[in-house]
Amino acid sequence: MNYVAGPKTRRAVLASSVAMAVLQMANQAIAQTAAPAAEEPVASVVVTGSLIRRVANEGATPLVTIKSAELEARGHTELKDLVLEMPQSMSLGTNTGAAGPMINLRGLGPMRTLTLLNGRRLANEPLQDQYVSVNVIPRMALDRVETLNGGAASIYGADAIGGVQNFWTKRGYEGAAVKAEYAPTEDGGGDTKGFGAIFGVGKLSRDGWNAYIAIDHQKKDALFQSDRPQQHDPAILRTLGLGITPDARNPNPSANFGFARNANSSYNPTFATGCMAPYSTPTLGNNSTAATPVYAPGCARNPVYWTAVTDGSEITTVSARGSLNLSGGHRLDLDLLHSEFTVQKFRGMQVPNTPQPFTTYSLPATSKYYPGKGITPAVQVVGSNTGSNTPAMYIDPAKTPGTVSDLNMNNRTIYFQWGPAELGPAYRNDEQTNDRIVLTAEGEVLGWDYRAGLNYGESKRDTRVGEGYILYSKAQEGFDKGILNPFGPQDAAGVEYLKSIQALDYTYRLNKAFNQSVDVTLSKGLWELPGGMLTLAVAGELRRDGAQTFNAPLDYVLKKADGSYNIDAAGNVVQTDLVGETPQGVAKKIHRTIASLLMEAEAPITDKFLLNAAVRADRYGDLKQTTINPKLAARWQPFQQLVLRSNVNTGFRAPSIIDIQNPTPEVRNQVMDDPVLCPSTQPLVPGTGTPKQGYTFDQVCNVATNYWTKSPNNDFLKPEKSRGFSFGFALEPMKDLSFTVDYWGLKLRDVLGAVTITEIQQNPAKYEVNFVRNADGTIDHIVASQANRGQTRIRGLDLSASYRFPKTSFGTFDAKLDGTYTDKYEFQSEKNGPWLSNVGIITNDGRYGSAGPNSGLAGLPQINPRWKHTAALTYTNGAWAGTLSQRYNTGVTDITPRAGSTLTKVEAYKQYNLNVRYTGIRNATISFGVNNLTEEWPPLTSNSLYSGGYVTSLADMLGRVYRFSVEYKF
């Protein structure tokens, strides 16, 4: 990126010449101080953020390193726990995303955090093609995680605006080990089980070769609101504005019915007997408690039964490495990875919608389940009851006075919206795989160190329907033939019929992504400076990223009268027999090539002052643009106990190839009120609006609505560009005590973001052109697609501290703290728009989701607590070791609480984990832990974006979890 340096940038560059870098965090600083001079020199390695080999703690850029053993000691059962607790990684609704948990450094979104495995890219998640889930990382083979906070585009190119997280697997392994772990929750639901194994032969230093293979498997059960009934107590939820007014009657297994397709919920034959617990509950209607009550009795879905708090998941990874030393100091490495994980995404009860022939089912008078014919009770009504009109349903003498009689059905066909109870909450399986093969060589040629690599990666996302998804035509046939009961439990024949009409394991969307690259790095010490050797590294990379979409599967796509499939000109399926999901896709292969050149120089001017400079140029073939991004960093160590460091950098992020060349819209669906035809004072809360004249509630209120988050052919999108800085120090005032402090900032312009559906709901007049309507005025779909919007600027402070207490006769204690303070987080929702602050608040203002970094990736806006930290106290005594860890974030203020609630304070959250490890049995390690020791629940919120009343993007609803693991080495 080229730009003219302004005064602020020039000052930052000047500051970099007098600042410098730290004693690499706690344990690194301790190691540096304690090492006696006579010890064998530490080997130079390549670390994240540099092309130049170095001793791991001598660089000019802050780097946080966490060993895999430390993650386990903190009670981590999966890498999602690292995502949630890292102070530098902000909330992104990671508990509910079907793409899996993702790192979100600096709160800039996972597409601005580059995730690497052994220093090289993996194929992106293929649907968005913007990020990599940590679920694909092999845990059993994991050695350490290195996190570089802040811009790193001068080394890695695009996507590293927020930073880089590099997962390193073991360099080699000899022997064998197996591991089993079990983590049940105290209150049930959400249990985790896993096992792993690793086997390796050979030793590089002895045999000149090594090969190992590691396997992991983990399964996590889903968690439902019904598993935590005490957390969904109506009395508590009413303080959050939830349940203040009763639910409106809605589609449920004990159907409400009417005598027309557009008036299909006037009566319910099971209301008088309590509906159908636990699937549905009786209601008098959402206006029944108004000053002038209006009663609309019937049955409503019970959300406690149908709603999943945390989805289920299953993860399997296989990783392998073979290493061979060649004569002349050369080495070859072959790395293989196969990862697959499935997110069991629960979607509640599925009912017909616009892609089906009708949004209702019908029941003929010949059905044995027809009301008043014996099995299904008659409905009692008051007033005129002629058999051709629709009298009011009887409740009790006070609410519905008048003459009571059984509803005169007059053998009229009845219409209703319904979903099956016996199949349970419907779920889809998002099956994702990530495969990679990397061949690398390193050594020395003509005095130059070289590293070269060939990398091929491929990812696939296969989205399939699971249980609970049925075929509309077959369900209608079941009602026509009297097999299915829309008003109560199914008999044995009905249950078997329901199972037979599921579309089990049907793929309705398939995407692939590819990553191919070749890279070469050369480095050499050129000449001796007073502080050491001036080292130059030059590198080149040629990368080809690709994506492949597939035509929508036609199995359940309905046909037009002329016999052709009902698909529009853009490739969207118009009508399908599958209830709840619409087949998606247009077959296309797309790709882009990126050619990169980069150079890094490191100059130890004196033994106390080090300068590091890097620059990278990237040429994007599809964008026909070249970006140039420099970095300048400095490190000054005026005396042994103090290190100063700073850097300035630029960065960029190119729109993904799916953003640019998307062959078909990405269609999403949510239940909402039409903001124009069913206006509401709470536009984000479905069922609260009032239909305009000429429309019924069922037509325009509480309706499942399609919206497009991606539109075809977005070649007008421009890359984002950034400028960043950091400066700080590391101090070791006394032996075994160290501190690091780094102040950082970043400014991002031309931010890529979509207009969110919430922004459109809240401002329908402003976004009138985004509504695409049917001939009758109802919504066909809403366009909420990508654009370059405004700017973002953030600043904050990273702080760490570490202390090893003096050794005692009863053991050793170590303490560690790692925290981040966010000083500023401002953004513009549109070009030249007002600056909006997003630190320490929570809001449902649509602008906070549209231009924010997680636009289009999660249904929840970014939450940025002012302060977030992890802390740990570790005790070691012989074969015993224990770690008490804490993660903490400050509270936030809700500036848009739900109507009916005065709660604006979202409390701070803290969680304690305790883990005890015993190694007194030969070759065995036994661990026992308690996660969430004090059983803290996510903070309560009255914000309407969190329909369950808890901020589940900051913490999960598992409660107290017990963790057991056993590892045995052979």
Side-chain angles (χ1 to χ4, degrees):
M1 177 183 72
N2 297 308
Y3 65 95
V4 178
K8 291 183 179 179
T9 303
R10 287 195 293 267
R11 287 196 297 268
V13 174
L14 179 62
S16 73
S17 66
V18 295
M20 66 3 4
V22 117
L23 302 160
Q24 208 53 45
M25 290 212 42
N27 56 343
Q28 296 172 341
I30 293 168
Q32 184 184 48
T33 303
E39 282 192 0
E40 181 181 338
V42 179
S44 295
V45 296
V46 175
V47 298
T48 303
S50 178
L51 301 173
I52 297 172
R53 287 184 175 274
R54 65 184 72 248
V55 175
N57 63 354
E58 69 178 14
T61 304
L63 184 69
V64 178
T65 301
I66 305 175
K67 300 289 286 184
S68 60
E70 183 178 349
L71 296 178
E72 185 169 343
R74 292 183 189 177
H76 290 194
T77 58
E78 54 183 311
L79 286 172
K80 185 201 79 174
D81 298 323
L82 175 65
V83 171
L84 284 174
E85 79 169 23
M86 278 189 65
Q88 301 85 9
S89 181
M90 294 300 183
S91 148
L92 192 62
T94 52
N95 294 344
T96 57
M102 301 158 284
I103 295 293
N104 179 20
L105 292 177
R106 301 301 188 208
L108 288 171
M111 71 291 260
R112 299 180 187 90
T113 296
L114 181 59
T115 300
L116 304 174
L117 179 62
N118 295 326
R120 286 180 170 84
R121 293 173 183 256
L122 299 106
N124 281 337
E125 181 280 327
L127 186 60
Q128 297 280 354
D129 191 37
Q130 298 190 75
Y131 44 77
V132 173
S133 171
V134 297
N135 277 353
V136 308
I137 304 299
R139 289 180 62 214
M140 196 70 186
L142 186 65
D143 178 70
R144 67 190 186 277
V145 184
E146 293 179 349
T147 304
L148 181 68
N149 299 301
S154 61
I155 298 295
Y156 297 107
D159 311 328
I161 288 175
V164 178
Q165 188 153 66
N166 195 357
F167 294 86
W168 292 95
T169 55
K170 300 179 189 301
R171 184 68 191 84
Y173 188 86
E174 184 178 22
V178 293
K179 183 178 181 180
E181 58 185 2
Y182 177 49
T185 63
E186 184 174 278
D187 299 312
D191 293 354
T192 300
K193 306 176 187 70
F195 69 85
I198 185 170
F199 172 74
V201 291
K203 188 172 184 179
L204 275 172
S205 60
R206 181 190 66 222
D207 306 315
W209 63 276
N210 176 258
Y212 73 81
I213 184 171
I215 301 172
D216 299 274
H217 179 77
Q218 184 188 82
K219 189 176 189 303
K220 186 170 186 176
D221 298 333
L223 184 74
F224 289 86
Q225 286 188 3
S226 56
D227 294 319
R228 299 291 180 268
Q230 67 274 28
Q231 269 60 60
H232 297 90
D233 185 329
I236 295 176
L237 298 182
R238 277 193 289 272
T239 67
L240 308 176
L242 290 166
I244 292 178
T245 58
D247 288 331
R249 56 195 178 194
N250 57 39
N252 69 93
S254 183
N256 308 294
F257 74 88
F259 296 112
R261 290 199 186 274
N262 62 353
N264 53 60
S265 61
S266 303
Y267 306 104
N268 194 292
T270 63
F271 166 77
T273 55
C275 296
M276 189 178 168
Y279 313 109
S280 57
T281 57
T283 180
L284 293 176
N286 58 328
N287 291 317
S288 60
T289 57
T292 304
V294 176
Y295 297 108
C299 297
R301 280 189 310 278
N302 178 13
V304 173
Y305 173 81
W306 294 99
T307 305
V309 179
T310 302
D311 297 314
S313 65
E314 190 164 1
I315 306 170
T316 302
T317 64
V318 180
S319 60
R321 166 174 282 187
S323 301
L324 178 65
N325 285 339
L326 303 176
S327 60
H330 304 280
R331 186 171 71 229
L332 293 177
D333 290 288
L334 180 66
D335 283 286
L336 302 174
L337 172 71
H338 172 72
S339 296
E340 56 184 58
F341 71 93
T342 299
V343 177
Q344 192 180 31
K345 184 70 178 174
F346 283 88
R347 308 275 286 172
M349 189 188 77
Q350 299 301 308
V351 298
N353 203 345
T354 50
Q356 279 70 64
F358 300 100
T359 59
T360 58
Y361 296 108
S362 62
L363 191 75
T366 55
S367 171
K368 65 182 179 182
Y369 296 115
Y370 194 78
K373 290 199 171 181
I375 296 178
T376 304
V379 177
Q380 290 191 314
V381 296
V382 293
S384 174
N385 186 12
T386 65
S388 60
N389 65 343
T390 54
M393 186 171 156
Y394 173 71
I395 302 172
D396 59 41
K399 296 182 180 66
T400 50
T403 303
V404 180
S405 61
D406 289 344
L407 176 63
N408 186 348
M409 302 291 293
N410 196 22
N411 288 329
R412 287 176 285 180
T413 299
I414 61 177
Y415 301 93
F416 51 89
Q417 289 188 307
W418 169 91
E422 285 77 7
L423 300 179
Y427 65 88
R428 73 183 191 208
N429 287 320
D430 263 287
E431 299 180 1
Q432 301 178 57
T433 61
N434 199 303
D435 296 294
R436 192 178 78 156
I437 180 170
V438 179
L439 177 64
T440 60
E442 59 181 85
E444 182 179 326
V445 174
L446 300 177
W448 288 79
D449 288 335
Y450 75 88
R451 297 188 307 278
L454 294 171
N455 178 18
Y456 177 82
E458 177 179 328
S459 63
K460 181 175 74 171
R461 183 164 174 175
D462 184 352
T463 308
R464 307 181 181 189
V465 294
E467 294 182 329
Y469 286 92
I470 61 175
L471 301 178
Y472 178 89
S473 62
K474 296 297 184 181
Q476 183 58 63
E477 184 179 335
F479 292 125
D480 292 340
K481 293 181 176 180
I483 301 173
L484 293 179
N485 179 8
F487 303 116
Q490 307 299 325
D491 60 18
V495 171
E496 288 305 310
Y497 186 79
L498 276 178
K499 292 179 180 179
S500 73
I501 65 172
Q502 294 183 107
L504 276 176
D505 216 29
Y506 167 65
T507 294
Y508 70 87
R509 181 179 64 199
L510 182 64
N511 295 77
K512 290 184 177 182
F514 307 92
N515 168 244
Q516 304 165 60
S517 66
V518 56
D519 63 83
V520 178
T521 300
L522 302 172
S523 62
K524 183 179 182 179
L526 297 181
W527 63 79
E528 193 74 31
L529 296 177
M533 188 67 69
L534 171 67
T535 304
L536 175 70
V538 293
E541 181 186 45
L542 183 63
R543 194 169 92 239
R544 181 184 174 97
D545 291 345
Q548 184 176 5
T549 57
F550 296 81
N551 283 328
L554 299 176
D555 308 54
Y556 303 127
V557 177
L558 298 178
K559 294 184 178 181
K560 302 176 185 177
D562 62 6
S564 62
Y565 287 103
N566 202 338
I567 298 175
D568 67 18
N572 297 301
V573 172
V574 177
Q575 276 204 330
T576 176
D577 205 23
L578 178 64
V579 177
E581 301 289 355
T582 302
Q584 300 176 23
V586 172
K588 189 175 183 180
K589 288 185 177 181
I590 52 181
H591 70 272
R592 66 161 39 134
T593 56
I594 306 104
S596 306
L597 291 174
L598 54 155
M599 181 175 66
E600 181 183 8
E602 187 153 285
I605 306 300
T606 71
D607 61 350
K608 299 182 182 301
F609 186 68
L610 174 76
L611 279 177
N612 178 279
V615 62
R616 176 171 175 138
D618 295 271
R619 174 68 179 176
Y620 277 74
D622 59 334
L623 300 177
K624 295 179 175 57
Q625 292 188 35
T626 299
T627 64
I628 299 175
N629 293 279
K631 180 195 77 170
L632 179 63
R635 178 185 189 272
W636 182 39
Q637 189 170 4
F639 48 88
Q640 181 65 27
Q641 291 78 17
L642 178 66
V643 173
L644 306 174
R645 63 187 172 197
S646 72
N647 79 82
V648 290
N649 60 80
T650 70
F652 78 105
R653 184 176 79 91
S656 74
I657 52 176
I658 291 294
D659 281 339
I660 297 289
Q661 305 178 51
N662 188 43
T664 185
E666 179 182 291
V667 181
R668 299 189 180 188
N669 183 278
Q670 77 172 35
V671 175
M672 58 180 281
D673 295 341
D674 185 324
V676 176
L677 300 182
C678 184
S680 168
T681 57
Q682 303 178 68
L684 303 185
V685 182
T688 59
T690 302
K692 285 196 171 182
Q693 187 174 359
Y695 295 93
T696 66
F697 184 91
D698 293 329
Q699 279 182 296
V700 294
C701 306
N702 205 43
V703 176
T705 305
N706 287 334
Y707 62 99
W708 295 5
T709 56
K710 289 189 184 299
S711 300
N713 188 20
N714 293 318
D715 57 6
F716 58 88
L717 295 176
K718 300 185 296 184
E720 300 173 338
K721 298 178 182 179
S722 70
R723 293 181 296 181
F725 72 88
S726 72
F727 57 87
F729 66 88
L731 176 66
E732 190 176 9
M734 57 181 284
K735 182 181 179 181
D736 296 335
L737 174 65
S738 63
F739 301 94
T740 70
V741 178
D742 289 281
Y743 188 73
W744 49 266
L746 185 142
K747 185 173 184 179
L748 184 66
R749 58 190 175 94
D750 293 327
V751 174
L752 289 163
V755 179
T756 61
I757 189 66
T758 55
E759 193 173 2
I760 294 172
Q761 287 174 273
Q762 292 168 331
N763 303 279
K766 179 178 179 180
Y767 296 104
E768 182 181 2
V769 297
N770 292 62
F771 291 86
V772 179
R773 296 187 176 274
N774 299 309
D776 63 357
T778 59
I779 295 174
D780 179 81
H781 67 273
I782 300 171
V783 177
S785 192
Q786 289 273 50
N788 289 100
R789 310 213 58 187
Q791 302 183 73
T792 296
R793 54 193 184 198
I794 59 174
R795 293 193 178 191
L797 188 76
D798 291 335
L799 181 148
S800 72
S802 178
Y803 181 59
R804 170 165 288 179
F805 292 84
K807 189 173 183 178
T808 68
S809 59
F810 51 85
T812 302
F813 292 88
D814 293 272
K816 188 175 183 179
L817 172 74
D818 185 16
T820 293
Y821 177 84
T822 302
D823 178 44
K824 177 188 291 187
Y825 193 116
E826 298 177 327
F827 69 94
Q828 297 170 309
S829 64
E830 54 192 355
K831 189 173 182 179
N832 300 322
W835 286 96
L836 305 172
S837 177
N838 191 17
V839 181
I841 65 167
I842 179 174
T843 176
N844 61 21
D845 186 328
R847 295 173 298 175
Y848 285 73
S850 62
N854 60 337
S855 173
L857 299 180
L860 308 174
Q862 181 78 43
I863 298 178
N864 301 304
R866 185 69 71 176
W867 169 259
K868 184 180 179 183
H869 77 243
T870 60
L873 177 65
T874 299
Y875 168 73
T876 306
N877 186 15
W880 290 93
T883 298
L884 177 66
S885 61
Q886 181 206 53
R887 66 181 176 95
Y888 173 88
N889 61 258
T890 52
V892 298
T893 300
D894 189 344
I895 61 174
T896 55
R898 183 182 285 105
S901 176
T902 58
L903 179 68
T904 58
K905 183 179 180 181
V906 178
E907 299 287 348
Y909 180 79
K910 58 182 178 295
Q911 177 178 313
Y912 294 92
N913 297 342
L914 176 65
N915 192 72
V916 178
R917 185 175 71 255
Y918 178 66
T919 56
I921 301 174
R922 185 180 178 184
N923 297 335
T925 300
I926 301 172
S927 297
F928 168 75
V930 182
N931 290 358
N932 201 350
L933 198 62
T934 58
E935 198 167 43
E936 298 289 332
W937 302 103
L940 289 168
T941 178
S942 61
N943 196 282
S944 62
L945 292 176
Y946 292 88
S947 58
Y950 294 88
V951 185
T952 50
S953 60
L954 289 176
D956 57 41
M957 292 289 292
L958 294 176
R960 188 177 292 116
V961 179
Y962 299 97
R963 180 176 176 272
F964 308 87
S965 73
V966 177
E967 182 175 5
Y968 187 81
K969 296 182 178 180
F970 299 90

